[in-house]
Amino acid sequence: MKVAVFSAKKYDRDGLSQWADTSIQFSYHETRLNSDSVKLASGCHAVCVFVNDELNAAVLQQLSQMGIEMVALRCAGFNNVDLTTAKALGIRIARVPAYSPEAVAEHTIGMMLCLNRKLHKAYNRVRDDNFALDGLLGFNLFGKTVGLIGTGRIGQATARILHGFGCQLLCHDIAPSDVLTELGARYVPLPELYAQSDIISLHCPLTPDTKHLINHYSIGSMKDGVMLINTSRGALIDSKAVIDGLKNRKIGYLGLDVYEQEADLFFENLSEQMIDDEIFKRLLTFPNVLITGHQAFFTKEALQEICQVTSDNLLAFASNTATGNELVN
């Protein structure tokens, strides 16, 4: 089976070569999948894509015309896929629903600790032989109230770590977890979570209902100086509203591993180019903002899981069986 892999980095090539089934013939393309690059999939039976590849109606129709009947997502999110069109065209869509949720959870906690204890600033100071502590004052996580929006596998993994720190946990999800209530977490409406949380961390999927969940209104309902962390999907946050929240000091700390317009930025080395995204550049000017480039998933264990499950999804398609990871079967 021939599979065209888009948005392919060296670690994708290495991982698929090491952990995918050898019967699958991968052709790698660094470019993102879109209406211009889709022709690179010619002659293949399936395509393998990542979070910023475009799978809108136009691209799916082109894939269908080329005889491609399978799209393997090497990620959990699927907001970049037109599932309705895929179903109408008979294109099978499968994803990797859970790859090392601990990887994202640990990165989330790392961002909280780095922002709070200003580790990034301290690192740079010491390298300049500056050992002053002024401006590095943090707070104890112990006893703080953390609001988790979304308590799937990643949210639960994050909750377990925070419980170990001695945090009070408030949660919001359309499907409450008995595991977390047994841990001592309380499920509350969003207004209560906003009003009582010292730290708010996002772990929910991007849907029409959750787009810009964090907006001017919700930010106004939060505690002054709240810490806000997003390692889920960029469009959960209205970036302009967050900038206003930073300017008026409603938001005291902001950690982002995702960004609404990240498709033209993340996963690429743009160090010698001009970035013309004024909102992103404005976010970088704040001393209390920490941004990483969609890195939270990036551990050896997670990559292995992604490659193996992606391979299983492709083999299941070839044998006309199911893995349970199908969004469109």
Side-chain angles (χ1 to χ4, degrees):
M1 178 172 51
K2 295 181 178 179
V3 180
V5 183
F6 288 87
S7 298
K9 303 299 181 185
K10 182 180 183 299
Y11 49 82
D12 293 307
R13 297 171 183 253
D14 293 345
L16 290 171
S17 298
Q18 181 176 358
W19 293 308
D21 192 279
T22 55
S23 67
I24 304 173
Q25 299 177 38
F26 294 105
S27 59
Y28 298 98
H29 309 284
E30 290 192 15
T31 183
R32 285 188 286 136
L33 176 61
N34 54 39
S35 57
D36 294 325
S37 64
V38 66
K39 58 182 178 290
L40 295 173
S42 179
C44 292
H45 304 96
V47 296
C48 179
V49 300
F50 198 47
V51 293
N52 291 325
D53 291 299
E54 296 177 18
L55 287 150
N56 53 32
V59 171
L60 288 168
Q61 287 166 0
Q62 291 180 74
L63 290 173
S64 180
Q65 291 168 5
M66 295 163 60
I68 290 175
E69 299 178 337
M70 168 66 174
V71 173
L73 304 171
R74 54 185 192 278
C75 54
F78 51 90
N79 54 282
N80 56 329
V81 185
D82 186 333
L83 296 179
T84 302
T85 298
K87 185 173 184 179
L89 293 171
I91 297 178
R92 184 168 176 170
I93 310 289
R95 63 173 179 152
V96 184
Y99 45 88
S100 185
E102 290 77 18
V104 181
E106 290 169 10
H107 191 86
T108 300
I109 303 303
M111 297 191 89
M112 292 180 187
L113 291 170
C114 188
L115 278 166
N116 171 26
R117 303 306 298 268
K118 303 172 180 62
L119 301 179
H120 51 312
K121 295 182 180 181
Y123 171 81
N124 288 323
R125 282 191 188 186
V126 170
R127 288 177 65 86
D128 290 333
D129 298 329
N130 178 357
F131 306 101
L133 298 183
D134 297 326
L136 301 181
L137 187 67
F139 58 84
N140 289 355
L141 281 179
F142 179 83
K144 294 299 183 292
T145 299
V146 182
L148 300 175
I149 302 178
T151 56
R153 295 185 183 185
I154 295 173
Q156 290 177 34
T158 305
R160 288 193 295 270
I161 299 172
L162 291 167
H163 177 72
F165 274 98
C167 297
Q168 305 299 313
L169 301 176
L170 299 181
C171 302
H172 182 86
D173 198 302
I174 57 174
S177 166
D178 292 338
V179 172
L180 292 194
T181 54
E182 291 172 2
L183 199 65
R186 289 196 300 119
Y187 279 85
V188 298
L190 280 176
E192 183 175 346
L193 185 148
Y194 292 144
Q196 296 187 17
S197 298
D198 301 297
I199 302 170
I200 296 174
S201 189
L202 306 180
H203 301 284
C204 55
L206 177 61
T207 68
D209 290 334
T210 60
K211 182 176 181 179
H212 289 179
L213 179 70
I214 304 302
N215 50 49
H216 284 99
Y217 177 78
S218 57
I219 292 171
S221 304
M222 297 175 188
K223 281 187 175 183
D224 291 343
V226 67
M227 178 185 289
L228 179 62
I229 307 289
N230 186 12
T231 55
S232 187
R233 286 292 178 266
L236 296 174
I237 286 180
D238 180 340
S239 299
K240 292 182 179 179
V242 164
I243 288 173
D244 288 341
L246 289 163
K247 289 167 64 178
N248 63 29
R249 293 173 173 75
K250 190 70 173 179
I251 297 175
Y253 313 79
L254 176 66
L256 301 177
D257 186 57
V258 289
Y259 172 62
E260 187 169 7
Q261 304 301 325
E262 70 177 57
D264 295 326
L265 298 173
F266 290 1
F267 306 110
E268 304 297 337
N269 180 0
L270 305 179
S271 59
E272 297 185 3
Q273 300 182 32
M274 290 290 293
I275 295 177
D276 57 8
D277 186 326
E278 295 301 324
I279 294 176
F280 186 78
K281 289 170 67 176
R282 182 68 178 98
L283 285 169
L284 291 175
T285 65
F286 292 95
N288 53 343
V289 172
L290 176 65
I291 301 177
T292 53
H294 211 128
Q295 180 188 342
F297 80 99
F298 199 56
T299 66
K300 178 181 178 180
E301 293 81 0
L303 281 179
Q304 180 174 354
E305 183 75 6
I306 288 169
C307 293
Q308 290 179 336
V309 174
T310 298
S311 174
D312 291 344
N313 290 340
L314 288 164
L315 292 175
F317 162 71
S319 62
N320 198 29
T321 58
T323 62
N325 300 326
E326 291 77 18
L327 297 166
V328 176
N329 200 346

